[in-house]
Each structure stands twice: as C-alpha cells, then as structure tokens.
Amino acid sequence: MTMRAIGIAMLAIALAGCATRPAAPALPAVEGTAQAHQAMREAALAAVPDWSMTGRVAVSNGKDGGNGRIEWTQQGPRFDVSLSAPITRQSWRVTGGDGDAVLEGLAGGTRTGPDAGALVRDATRWDIPVDALVRWVRGLGGADATLAYGADRRLTRISEAGWTIDYANWRIVDRAGIELPGRVEATKGDARVRLVVDAWTADAWTQ
C-alpha cells in the first residue's frame, strides 16, 4: 500500500474523526503545585506499565495526510500500534520496542529496523515519533523535556527534541484519580500528529 493510498483510505473516515463526544465530567481542583501534581501522575503511571488506548488519529507532513482509527497496546517497553480505515479495510501496523521495530501493511512487504519512527518515516514520509509517543501520549516528558502548565495547574504542553506536544480534555481514568489526556497534538515543522482518545484501559483502571 502506498502512502497516498493510505491517506485516501484514512480520509474515508474523516467524518468519524470529527464526531462530537459528550463532555467529560468536571475535574477536581488540583491541590498543591502543578509540578507536584505532575510528579504524582508520573509515579502512578510508572506503576501501570501495561495499558491500551483506542481513538482517532490524523497525520500530515504539510503535503499529504489522512485520518483513521488507532489502537495502541503497550506491555512494558513493547508496543503494538495499528492504524486502520474500517470502511476500506486498509490498515498498517507497527510493533517493537527495546531497539527493534516491524512495520506491516505497506507495499513491498514487511519492513524492519531499530527505530519505529524512522521506519514509518522512510516508508510513508510521515514523521510519527512512535518511541517518544509512548511517553507523550500519556503526558510524560523525557529527561530534556520542558513542561508548561495551565491556570488549572494541569499539563498543557511538552517541548522536547524539536517537537511541541499540546494537551487538552484531561479525564480521570481510574478510582485512584489517575488523569490522562483526551486530546494530544504533536507538531514539528510541517509534521503533525493529532490523537483523540476514545478510551484508556488497563487492568488497574476502570472507565
């Protein structure tokens, strides 16, 4: 499958990606500083290495782009990410972690390499930093990241490795009060990856 074919396939469900979702319940006020609240989130998420997320994704490189469904399953350092356009039944999948990656579903057969993001970029010309998104999608920055907070003392932006990641629609995903974002948008120059999360799941969480 070529990159243009993927874009056409994903655009077939663009209306689904724009569907209106019910408003999330109001979040409680953050007690203490924004940094302390973020530190508590990071500690709580570190205790849940296995999780999954389903939603909608839009990607573009300034010239080509598309929309589709995304299913992300994480088991420790290992990830399994599938993007699909159900109407046309076209999809591709990238799996990996620990320095290896496998990309399936594109023309030319299965491709492998040490870096998932580089593998996707070489095959599709879309810059999707898969390895970093493992952290970013949950609102976690790396050692060199700069974090910014809103008036409600919740994370609004991470700046890291030339990328800007913006957050919105925070929600509580378990009885212990762990918060995760409902919308994540990562940009770097013309590259853009936008995620709208429909559900977060893990054995330790309840929706």
Side-chain angles (χ1 to χ4, degrees), residues 26-52:
L27 293 171
V30 171
E31 297 182 3
T33 67
Q35 291 79 7
H37 181 69
Q38 177 68 9
M40 287 190 295
R41 286 190 60 254
E42 292 176 0
L45 291 171
V48 187
D50 301 342
W51 53 271
S52 63

Side-chain angles (χ1 to χ4, degrees), residues 122-142:
D122 292 344
T124 68
R125 297 201 303 275
W126 288 342
D127 198 351
I128 304 177
V130 181
D131 294 288
L133 279 172
V134 173
R135 291 183 289 101
W136 294 345
V137 74
R138 293 175 293 155
L140 302 175

